[in-house]
Amino acid sequence: MRAAARLLPLAPPALLALILTAPVAAGLAGALAPAFGLPDAPGLQEWRRLFDQPGLATSIRLSLVTGLVSSLAALTLSTLIVAALHGTAAFALLRRGLAPLLSVPHAAAALGLAFLIAPSGWIARALSPWATGWTEPPDLLILNDPGGWALTLGLVAKELPFLLLMTLAALPQTDAARQMAVAASLGHSRSSGFLLAVWPALARQLRLPVAAVLAYGMTVVDMALILGPTLPPTLAVRITQWMTAPDLSDRGLAAAAALLQLALVLAALAFWRLAGRATCSLTRSLATSGWRGRGADRVLRPLAATLGATATLSLAAGLAGLALWSFTGPWSFPAALPASLTLGTWAQNGASLAARTGTTLALAILSAASALALVVAALESLSRRGTSPGPRLLALIWLPLVVPQVAFLPGLQVFTLAAGTEGTRLSVAAAHLVFVLPYVWLSLAPAWAAWNPRIALAAAALGAPPSRILWRLRLPMLLRPLLTAFAVGLAVSIGQYLPTLLIGGGRVETLTTEAVALASGGSRRVAGAAAIAQTLLPMAGFWLALAMPALAFRHRRGMGEAP
């Protein structure tokens, strides 16, 4: 413990920033060289190959439309829920329902939605044949539709809990209660008061989370492989296919496409920024027009409750469908429930699932523990200096979430190949760390800042050195947020698909890569079992984060409720 305490000053925030920016910069540099034929045959031949690819314009359109529409829908829905329902019993119920779904990996959520809305899925079975007349699955292209609407729906359902959590975290910084009270005194309804008085300040706080959601929606690969169109797929999926193709000449094509994808994301972010300014101007015009929106609550409250409940129930029903499929025997269409339940799928695939669970857990524990140690060290370093994280550090923390994975991971893979580290678990865990670190920071930093500094002042007055204050007071009192941040890190690592696939070179198999592989034509029972195992791991982490402080502080009144 003393050795660790002595190392803390050696881990300043600059080290954290270096760990976050170096892989992104190296990956982008690694993509630039092959995209321009360096060093063998410099030129634009890879770009000419790229623009000659059939269906490229459709892939670009799909990336733009799914990313922009899903981000706009998720942001609108989260804002509508907070504006119309915040502080009500319906909001508390909805929040309790959405919070556990935050830990569901994207691939598992996509698989659950696919099992729900497919022509042979649970919804069609529940309505057949009594309402539809179908005795066989209908020939409808619901999944993998050419317009990417199934993918958009999945992205909205999965990103809604994240944006809702970010909105609630940012709300105290907007002086919302006082603003709403002033708006109410001027005759505004609840919804119009929130929109005109609170939303402009809230939108500024949500810029980086929304940018991360937009970048992710445009470049997601695992959900696009399960729900998205196939002929042609989104640009991110095509980049992954070129990057993992046996023909090494496609690596230059993938690098050029990765840079094109980065340019598209930057253009979409710029468009989003301009649209945001236009929305703010419209809001100001609305505020000065005398509009009070007195009847808005009667419409928006039930609408927000209905849409929020639909998103929650669709994810929950999808997960229930996954669990049911993993235990089914024969289950033919249009039966709504299976004829029998069996443990056969789990027994036949237990060994492979156990091996992949072990690999998934090892990667998650290593990356989450490393991220937690680095974040604690950086926060403690800032505390001892008496400063807080500046805007530059916060921007760097968000960098790996805003820059698309598919834009810099191909370049990073080139570096791991050159270094001979591709395909090792350590290199995959290091790649996971780049994406785990920001989420661990976002989970822990608010609780760290909220810790009462007078406790440290009293301890210092009694002669306790800074390291003793940290290990004997601050960390024990922050046990609950520390464990929650660790659980968040576990969940983020468990859900990583592209870093595992590219940096692992296909030789590191986790539950996520297994679930995505099985989704494309494998057995529903085995895919359901893999997705459920993938979902249970982060949920177990969050359960332990709640249970352990209660157990540790069972004899100390009030400590179990510490932030």
Side-chain angles (χ1 to χ4, degrees):
M1 181 179 293
R2 289 180 179 176
R6 285 195 295 271
L7 289 175
L8 277 174
L10 302 178
L15 177 60
L16 198 72
L18 180 66
I19 292 173
L20 291 170
T21 55
V24 177
L28 291 177
L32 274 172
F36 290 97
L38 297 174
D40 301 327
L44 299 175
Q45 59 272 18
E46 298 298 345
W47 291 92
R48 284 192 286 270
R49 282 184 64 201
L50 174 63
F51 289 114
D52 287 340
Q53 293 297 313
L56 181 66
T58 305
S59 297
I60 291 173
R61 177 181 57 78
L62 286 169
S63 294
L64 284 169
V65 171
T66 53
L68 286 168
V69 173
S70 64
S71 302
L72 179 63
L75 179 62
T76 303
L77 189 51
S78 64
T79 304
L80 180 62
I81 290 172
V82 176
L85 300 176
H86 187 251
T88 65
F91 181 81
L93 186 64
L94 198 57
R95 187 181 178 184
R96 281 198 292 271
L98 281 170
L101 299 177
L102 190 63
S103 65
V104 178
H106 285 81
L111 265 175
L113 194 61
F115 283 15
L116 190 66
I117 65 174
S120 60
W122 219 351
I123 292 179
R125 289 168 184 268
L127 298 176
S128 302
W130 63 273
T132 63
W134 296 334
T135 55
E136 294 181 355
D139 188 17
L140 298 175
L141 195 58
I142 299 175
L143 292 179
N144 312 119
D145 61 292
W149 297 112
L151 174 60
T152 303
L153 180 65
L155 284 169
V156 172
K158 190 65 188 77
E159 298 301 348
L160 175 62
F162 172 71
L163 282 181
L164 196 58
L165 182 67
M166 290 292 105
T167 302
L168 292 176
L171 207 55
Q173 302 171 44
T174 62
D175 196 14
R178 192 176 65 84
Q179 300 276 13
M180 292 289 286
V182 171
S185 69
L186 295 173
H188 283 275
S189 67
R190 180 191 188 87
S191 304
S192 66
F194 184 90
L195 176 65
L196 300 179
V198 180
W199 172 246
L202 188 61
R204 286 194 292 274
Q205 301 292 332
L206 291 176
R207 277 177 187 166
L208 288 174
V210 172
V213 167
L214 176 57
Y216 183 83
M218 288 183 63
T219 60
V220 63
V221 174
D222 49 357
M223 292 188 79
L225 285 170
I226 297 170
L227 297 173
T230 53
L231 290 174
T234 62
L235 184 59
V237 172
R238 298 186 78 173
I239 294 170
T240 307
Q241 291 171 346
W242 288 325
M243 202 63 206
T244 54
D247 187 355
L248 294 181
S249 66
D250 285 346
R251 299 295 174 94
L253 186 64
L259 294 179
L260 175 62
Q261 179 75 80
L262 177 61
L264 288 173
V265 170
L266 294 177
L269 290 173
F271 172 76
W272 189 277
R273 185 71 181 271
L274 291 175
R277 289 182 178 177
T279 305
C280 288
S281 299
L282 180 64
T283 304
R284 282 194 294 271
S285 302
L286 207 59
T288 56
S289 68
W291 177 72
R292 295 290 188 272
R294 292 189 178 89
D297 286 349
R298 287 196 297 273
V299 178
L300 295 182
R301 277 194 175 186
L303 180 64
T306 303
L307 293 177
T310 301
T312 306
L313 291 176
S314 62
L315 278 180
L319 293 177
L322 288 176
L324 193 58
W325 266 106
S326 71
F327 289 103
T328 59
W331 190 4
S332 58
F333 192 90
L337 294 172
S340 61
L341 297 178
T342 173
L343 292 174
T345 301
W346 290 92
Q348 293 167 12
N349 300 277
S352 63
L353 285 175
R356 286 164 180 76
T357 301
T359 303
T360 306
L361 261 183
L363 294 172
I365 291 173
L366 183 57
S367 56
S370 303
L372 187 62
L374 286 166
V375 169
V376 167
L379 289 171
E380 175 64 11
S381 177
L382 287 170
S383 298
R384 292 187 187 184
R385 297 177 195 174
T387 60
S388 57
R392 289 183 181 177
L393 178 60
L394 293 177
L396 291 178
I397 286 170
W398 279 95
L399 186 68
L401 306 183
V402 175
V403 177
Q405 289 186 2
V406 78
F408 70 90
L409 282 176
L412 201 59
Q413 187 190 30
V414 174
F415 277 97
T416 57
L417 276 169
T421 58
E422 191 212 34
T424 65
R425 294 186 179 186
L426 195 59
S427 61
V428 174
H432 283 199
L433 176 64
V434 177
F435 305 102
V436 170
L437 254 176
Y439 286 103
V440 171
W441 176 281
L442 292 172
S443 301
L444 184 59
W448 193 277
W451 189 68
N452 190 347
R454 287 179 295 181
I455 299 173
L457 193 62
L462 294 172
S467 59
R468 188 176 178 84
I469 295 172
L470 172 68
W471 292 100
R472 301 300 295 271
L473 290 175
R474 193 161 201 162
L475 293 185
M477 294 181 73
L478 293 177
L479 181 60
R480 183 187 295 273
L482 283 167
L483 291 174
T484 301
F486 183 71
V488 169
L490 285 179
V492 173
S493 174
I494 289 168
Q496 293 299 315
Y497 173 72
L498 202 56
T500 309
L501 181 70
L502 293 183
I503 306 301
R507 296 191 292 278
V508 178
E509 296 181 343
T510 65
L511 289 171
T512 301
T513 58
E514 179 76 357
V516 175
L518 290 169
S520 56
S523 164
R524 279 192 177 190
R525 295 171 179 80
V526 184
I532 284 300
Q534 188 201 17
T535 303
L536 289 178
L537 287 183
M539 285 189 171
F542 281 104
W543 181 81
L544 287 174
L546 291 174
M548 289 178 68
L551 184 65
F553 300 133
R554 63 189 184 281
H555 299 309
R556 292 173 171 81
R557 181 182 297 178
M559 284 290 288
E561 302 300 326

